[in-house]
Amino acid sequence: MAHSTTSILQQNNRFLFSFKSKSKASNRHFSSHSLHLNKPLFPLSSSLSSFPSSPSPSSCFVTRVSKAPLEYAPPAPEFNFDREISRLKNLRSKLSVAKTVEDKLAVLGRDARVKRFFEGLSRSGFATVLASLSVDSYGLFLVKCLVAAGQEHVLGLESEMSEFESTWSDIKSALYALVEMIEKLDNGRERSGSNTGFGLKSGEVGDFEKLLKTLGEIERFYDCIGGIIGYQITVLELLAQATCERETTNWSHHINKLMECQFTEIHAPRGIDLSQDTEYASQAAIWGIEGLPDLGEIYPLGGSADRLGLVDPDTGEGLPAAMLPYCGRTLLERLIRDLQAREFLYFKMYGKQCITPVAIMTSSAKKNHERVTSLCERLGWFGRGRSSFQFFEQPLVPSISAEDGQWVVAKPFTPVCKPGGHGVIWKLAYDKGIFKWFYDHGRKGVTVRQVSNVVAATDVTLLALAGIGLRHGKKLGFASCERRLGATEGINVLIEKKTLDGRWAYGVSCIEYTEFDKFGITNGSLSPKSLQEKFSANTNILYVDLASAELVGSSKNENSLPGMVLNTKKPVVYEDAFGNRHSVPGGRLECTMQNIADNFFNTSSSRCYNRVEEKMDTFIVYNERRRVTSSAKRKRKLAEKSLHQTPDGSLLDILRNIHDLLSKCDIRLPVIKGNDEYVDSGPPFLILLHPALGPLWEVSRQKFHGGSISMGSELQIEVAEFLWRDVQLDGSLIIEAENVMGSIRIDENGEPILKYGQRCGRCKLQNVKVLNKGIDWGSGNNIYWKHDVQRFEAFKVILHGNAEFEATDVILQGNQVYEVPNGYKLKITPGKSGLSVQLDPIEQSMMDSGSWFWNYKIKGKHIQLELVEL
């Protein structure tokens, strides 16, 4: 199998991995940072010439590992991994050639464990019970697979046959209850909350139904590795591998068995730095805008997001990350707003409507699928139409004990299940017809981002990534940045390896953070700091070519499940039938979507020393960290000093980005210091700008110029057609448009669709001072990342429909709210005794376009805006 592994040999406290660096190389060549062994296969030259050497061709050195625990609980002495794996592999082989369910049942019936299990029941008088089972043959096949995999305890029965015989009198009624339950399932009889007649309640009947459903999903989805049996084989192999790596003394032999290679080396991958090569970044972003009609979006939302600790305040039920209320709206709404901002930019540049198809992977964890679809329905599908969305639900997989691979069970018929990682996305997309759906919409590639990353669409990052991928026909692209020391995130690497047939293979991939410890980087010249600083962060922001991903997802082997790992670093936490909380060492089989890259290596007959990235199907781009990744993925603990990966910390990064944007527009505003300055207080200001003001900063900067924003001020702009000239803000200013980017119209299919550019709200502020008391920064009820704050005063404008607001050469003071009705323009100018407030109807000929608008033009590699007055 192709799971990730690595090893490190330590002799006399000397680690065979070594690390050296030299002056930073040009981004047209290899980075000078690499991890490898200190005796090279061949002397290196050119940009690799300073790398230490590696060992003889007979050795294979692996640079990737599975997610094994730091503290591993060894299996019970009587449990033999090799024997059990061998038995299950033999069984899987026989099942693979069985054509029908009946043939498969016959194979399972001959398995020693299954045979012993059911014979034990028969000797106890269970023959009549077994004969009366009326569950269909496929259901019986699933139950027998469960038993064959050594998981009969899930049924609430002991696994040893002697115990069945000795305790038959105690479980006899339960077995008969199980029979009646299955008969009722077949006969479709109505159930009530009462007992079934043998002590089994309807709730337990439901548990058994769910068990069969779960087993069926595992069997079908993991068919590429052998279904339920293959799942268990993979789990046991990873557990056995972890044990072997701790006990082996012959590392070369051990690694050669795991990897088919002579030599492997990893380097820090080179790519364009968008923050430095701004001309190329602008050009790449325009490619991305041009290519929008060829692009789709995929959002992997199926994770359980346990670290976020999000709870429904009314029911107390856990909520998925997509439902987190962040800056006034859910995280899912923010994803769609970012997408619509790019579509609005496309409309302004080319005058055409473009609605991007969005595929969302959900799961049943925390009612994820139900809640996400309900949110979309409640918000009218964001004005995009139901047909522009496609949902596909990932299966839940059983959690296993780190001791012996036994499934963790909360109560009879109820294994503890969690989503199996976002790497299932490619096979699931193929199984559920997602690729075909994208093709039907005329799409060639997709961008992928995670819901918790609130800055992924900042400025050029996402557009440039997609633009490069489309323009150069790449199969996979990563958006990356500097890695923060100690962050729970992987690293991007350039893998170079020599295969057993003598060819050299190259590709950008990633190593998960849970694998770092397996490198043994704890002392010596190669410190954890060196590794974490010299290699960039994997952010799971991807560009993916659809045809290439479909080939991987449709493969009938383990390649369709990239990066299979067993993460046992965190305990399995669950509640039993009595509400008691348990925590046991264990994990679940997971896949990582970014490791689809391992299927896209390019090979060469000779080793490549220069410009290897230009020849690869994979690529990487870089930007400043806060313009690439800042996540709201964990709940800040009481009195905790670190804001990293919390909603509080990500808001500060959003505000830092806004500071970078506006300060280049000659607007004076306070500097945001390090996170530790705001642990016990709010940020120095609160500014939220609608992404359609850009989303490219080059566009946004032409809408803002001059003025100042004082300490403690609040600015919220929810309008795309906007002009700020020499505005001084000392307090709270809120501009809200009902139609930010356009208006909702009913299309030919009867669906309400957002028509970009039609009947937008508009706002102009020129030479204006806004003075009021603003936010009550001393209030203990403020939750800044939710944008839930207490205010003393605010100047607020609400634009209904295509309403317009203009203020020129005035001072706006105190607590005021102006609501401008649809079809009208409100103008505030100096009057003879104070302010002149004038409300006039918009001319009929200007109802759609407005009395003024921004005209977008492409000038070379840049976008130029022109203010057009009608």
Side-chain angles (χ1 to χ4, degrees):
M1 62 176 285
H3 56 268
S4 304
T5 61
T6 194
S7 302
I8 183 166
L9 175 58
Q10 183 181 9
Q11 297 176 343
N12 299 322
N13 296 319
R14 181 175 177 224
F15 290 87
L16 294 190
F17 277 113
S18 61
F19 184 92
K20 289 189 177 181
S21 65
K22 60 178 182 180
S23 60
K24 190 173 182 179
S26 164
N27 67 0
R28 298 290 179 189
H29 302 282
F30 269 125
S31 164
S32 57
H33 304 298
S34 301
L35 276 178
H36 46 86
L37 298 162
N38 62 357
K39 291 185 180 179
L41 183 61
F42 299 115
L44 304 179
S45 59
S46 185
S47 62
L48 298 177
S49 59
S50 67
F51 295 172
S53 307
S54 28
S56 65
S58 62
S59 298
C60 168
F61 295 92
V62 185
T63 59
R64 309 253 331 281
V65 300
S66 61
K67 298 177 180 177
L70 283 172
E71 295 182 1
Y72 176 73
E78 64 273 10
F79 188 83
N80 188 310
F81 277 115
D82 290 339
R83 185 170 58 206
E84 182 66 1
I85 291 171
S86 177
R87 180 185 71 83
L88 291 176
K89 281 187 172 181
N90 181 55
L91 180 59
R92 179 175 63 180
S93 178
K94 293 176 180 178
L95 287 171
S96 67
V97 297
K99 302 299 183 183
T100 66
V101 173
E102 286 70 21
D103 292 340
K104 294 179 185 293
L105 282 170
V107 171
L108 287 167
R110 292 190 292 270
D111 175 75
R113 187 170 193 124
V114 174
K115 189 175 181 180
R116 189 169 65 248
F117 178 87
F118 284 98
E119 283 182 350
L121 294 181
S122 178
R123 288 195 301 271
S124 300
F126 190 59
T128 54
V129 176
L130 184 60
S132 66
L133 287 174
S134 57
V135 67
D136 64 23
S137 58
Y138 186 71
L140 183 58
F141 164 72
L142 294 175
V143 172
K144 287 195 171 185
C145 281
L146 181 74
V147 174
Q151 310 304 319
E152 53 267 41
H153 64 283
V154 175
L155 300 173
L157 307 175
E158 298 296 333
S159 60
E160 294 298 328
M161 293 306 105
S162 59
E163 296 182 16
F164 277 110
E165 296 171 1
S166 63
T167 61
W168 170 244
S169 60
D170 297 328
I171 64 173
K172 188 174 182 179
S173 61
L175 291 173
Y176 277 98
L178 176 59
V179 173
E180 181 178 351
M181 173 186 65
I182 295 173
E183 289 176 339
K184 285 197 173 191
L185 289 178
D186 271 358
N187 297 332
R189 297 173 184 170
E190 294 183 359
R191 305 183 194 94
S192 65
S194 61
N195 290 358
T196 62
F198 290 97
L200 199 65
K201 295 183 178 180
S202 60
E204 293 167 318
V205 173
D207 291 340
F208 184 74
E209 285 181 307
K210 291 177 183 178
L211 174 62
L212 287 181
K213 181 176 182 291
T214 298
L215 294 176
E217 290 176 345
I218 296 172
E219 180 64 25
R220 284 187 294 271
F221 182 74
Y222 290 95
D223 57 356
C224 58
I225 59 173
I228 295 170
I229 302 300
Y231 181 93
Q232 191 63 19
I233 290 171
T234 305
V235 165
L236 294 177
E237 284 181 329
L238 289 171
L239 287 175
Q241 176 188 320
T243 304
C244 180
E245 288 171 349
R246 286 162 175 78
E247 297 175 353
T248 187
T249 58
N250 187 343
W251 283 98
S252 294
H253 175 73
H254 173 65
I255 299 171
N256 276 313
K257 287 176 60 179
L258 293 175
M259 292 286 288
E260 294 181 357
C261 67
Q262 296 184 44
F263 167 85
T264 300
E265 189 167 276
I266 65 172
H267 312 275
R270 284 186 305 98
I272 297 296
D273 187 336
L274 301 175
S275 66
Q276 299 298 316
D277 196 342
T278 55
E279 287 294 302
Y280 184 86
S282 296
Q283 178 65 79
I286 290 177
W287 291 338
I289 302 165
E290 289 174 347
L292 207 59
D294 292 325
L295 288 169
E297 296 248 315
I298 296 181
Y299 304 146
L301 305 186
S304 56
D306 292 331
R307 287 188 294 167
L308 197 55
L310 186 60
V311 179
D312 187 315
D314 297 323
T315 66
E317 295 178 323
L319 295 175
M323 305 302 294
L324 179 72
Y326 189 91
C327 291
R329 51 190 48 85
T330 66
L331 288 181
L332 177 57
E333 290 174 78
R334 290 182 62 87
L335 290 186
I336 300 298
R337 273 162 54 100
D338 286 343
L339 174 59
Q340 290 178 323
R342 297 194 293 278
E343 294 171 343
F344 181 70
L345 178 59
Y346 178 85
F347 171 82
K348 295 293 287 186
M349 290 175 63
Y350 303 107
K352 299 176 183 178
Q353 178 94 351
C354 178
I355 300 295
T356 305
V358 177
I360 300 178
M361 183 174 75
T362 62
S363 75
S364 62
K366 299 182 178 179
K367 298 182 179 178
N368 178 303
H369 181 81
E370 176 186 333
R371 295 181 188 278
V372 168
T373 54
S374 295
L375 175 66
C376 293
E377 290 171 354
R378 187 167 69 251
L379 297 177
W381 301 101
F382 307 96
R384 309 177 64 77
R386 173 65 180 86
S387 60
S388 69
F389 288 90
Q390 193 79 327
F391 297 88
F392 55 121
E393 190 172 350
Q394 73 179 104
L396 302 185
V397 299
S399 300
I400 59 91
S401 164
E403 181 178 358
D404 54 10
Q406 290 283 287
W407 295 6
V408 180
V409 178
K411 58 181 179 178
F413 316 128
T414 310
V416 177
C417 292
K418 296 279 187 179
H422 47 54
V424 303
I425 199 167
W426 311 118
K427 183 180 186 299
L428 192 65
Y430 176 76
D431 290 349
K432 301 299 183 180
I434 301 300
F435 290 108
K436 182 181 183 303
W437 180 73
F438 276 125
Y439 298 148
D440 290 343
H441 282 76
R443 307 298 150 150
K444 299 176 182 177
V446 292
T447 49
V448 184
R449 61 178 291 198
Q450 291 183 289
V451 71
S452 60
N453 184 352
V454 296
V455 301
T458 302
D459 195 17
V460 299
T461 300
L462 207 55
L463 281 169
L465 175 71
I468 295 170
L470 283 171
R471 185 79 173 189
H472 297 292
K474 299 292 188 178
K475 294 182 178 180
L476 181 71
F478 295 86
S480 187
C481 58
E482 178 185 5
R483 187 176 188 277
R484 182 167 293 165
L485 186 64
T488 55
E489 59 195 14
I491 57 174
N492 285 123
V493 296
L494 172 62
I495 295 182
E496 177 188 34
K497 63 182 180 180
K498 188 174 185 181
T499 60
L500 294 179
D501 62 3
R503 297 185 64 83
W504 291 86
Y506 297 88
V508 178
S509 188
C510 91
I511 299 175
E512 276 296 304
Y513 73 94
T514 48
E515 302 174 0
F516 291 167
D517 294 316
K518 294 295 298 292
F519 283 96
I521 305 170
T522 56
N523 55 23
S525 61
L526 184 55
S527 66
K529 185 175 181 180
S530 300
L531 171 67
Q532 295 176 22
E533 287 187 350
K534 302 307 180 183
F535 287 87
S536 62
N538 174 63
T539 65
N540 283 338
I541 303 173
L542 308 174
Y543 164 78
V544 184
D545 175 70
L546 282 169
S548 302
E550 184 181 26
L551 285 176
V552 176
S554 62
S555 60
K556 302 300 183 182
N557 53 47
E558 60 197 16
N559 289 339
S560 63
L561 301 172
M564 280 194 291
V565 288
L566 188 63
N567 184 0
T568 55
K569 277 185 171 291
K570 298 173 185 176
V572 177
V573 179
Y574 65 96
E575 288 187 358
D576 61 23
F578 304 100
N580 298 317
R581 190 176 177 86
H582 299 266
S583 178
V584 298
R588 64 188 184 275
L589 186 63
E590 295 183 81
C591 308
T592 51
M593 66 179 179
Q594 65 274 17
N595 283 110
I596 192 176
D598 297 337
N599 293 277
F600 301 144
F601 279 36
N602 295 89
T603 61
S604 172
S605 58
S606 60
R607 194 172 192 180
C608 300
Y609 295 102
N610 292 300
R611 308 174 74 89
V612 64
E613 286 85 358
E614 297 178 7
K615 306 172 186 176
M616 297 191 313
D617 290 324
T618 53
F619 71 101
I620 191 168
V621 297
Y622 297 98
N623 207 338
E624 290 188 30
R625 181 179 174 88
R626 62 174 175 262
R627 300 183 196 176
V628 179
T629 182
S630 188
S631 296
K633 63 170 56 175
R634 70 177 185 88
K635 183 179 181 179
R636 182 184 174 192
K637 298 176 182 177
L638 188 65
E640 183 183 14
K641 298 300 181 183
S642 173
L643 302 182
H644 181 56
Q645 294 186 330
T646 66
D648 314 69
S650 61
L651 174 63
L652 290 172
D653 281 333
I654 289 176
L655 297 179
R656 290 184 180 101
N657 286 332
I658 290 175
H659 179 278
D660 292 347
L661 166 63
L662 297 182
S663 61
K664 293 292 179 65
C665 303
D666 293 328
I667 298 175
R668 301 182 304 278
L669 66 168
V671 174
I672 299 183
K673 301 177 183 178
N675 286 0
D676 54 346
E677 295 286 334
Y678 308 105
V679 169
D680 300 315
S681 66
F685 55 80
L686 193 57
I687 302 178
L688 300 176
L689 304 179
H690 196 287
L693 285 163
L696 299 178
W697 287 5
E698 180 177 64
V699 172
S700 305
R701 284 171 177 157
Q702 297 176 66
K703 298 180 180 181
F704 290 86
H705 182 77
S708 63
I709 299 173
S710 66
M711 179 75 75
S713 290
E714 175 192 17
L715 175 65
Q716 182 180 357
I717 305 297
E718 287 289 310
V719 58
E721 298 285 14
F722 178 75
L723 173 67
W724 165 299
R725 292 291 184 267
D726 298 315
V727 178
Q728 298 179 46
L729 174 61
D730 188 359
S732 289
L733 173 62
I734 302 170
I735 311 292
E736 293 181 355
E738 188 176 78
N739 295 348
V740 177
M741 296 169 284
S743 61
I744 300 293
R745 300 291 178 87
I746 303 300
D747 71 357
E748 62 275 9
N749 298 318
E751 289 191 307
I753 300 296
L754 175 63
K755 297 295 183 180
Y756 289 115
Q758 292 191 6
R759 305 180 68 86
C760 297
R762 301 167 200 278
C763 178
K764 283 185 185 177
L765 303 173
Q766 300 180 85
N767 193 26
V768 171
K769 288 185 179 179
V770 179
L771 304 174
N772 54 59
K773 293 182 181 179
I775 290 177
D776 178 5
W777 293 92
S779 172
N781 295 323
N782 291 341
I783 306 177
Y784 299 103
W785 59 267
K786 284 187 176 182
H787 200 208
D788 181 4
V789 296
Q790 307 301 310
R791 299 180 183 89
F792 293 115
E793 296 177 329
F795 187 89
K796 185 174 184 178
V797 178
I798 302 173
L799 303 173
H800 294 282
N802 65 344
E804 300 182 12
F805 176 82
E806 292 184 12
T808 305
D809 300 326
V810 294
I811 298 175
L812 306 175
Q813 300 187 71
N815 190 38
Q816 301 187 56
V817 177
Y818 288 91
E819 291 199 50
V820 188
N822 179 45
Y824 284 82
K825 175 190 286 189
L826 179 67
K827 295 181 67 173
I828 301 181
T829 57
K832 293 182 179 179
S833 57
L835 301 178
S836 171
V837 180
Q838 184 176 351
L839 181 66
D840 296 316
I842 299 171
E843 293 184 19
Q844 190 63 36
S845 62
M846 301 178 185
M847 280 294 180
D848 283 345
S849 62
S851 64
W852 67 273
F853 60 88
W854 287 109
N855 187 34
Y856 293 45
K857 296 181 179 179
I858 299 177
K859 297 290 186 180
K861 300 177 181 178
H862 300 279
I863 302 172
Q864 187 177 85
L865 270 60
E866 175 189 8
L867 184 64
V868 178
E869 302 269 6
L870 299 178

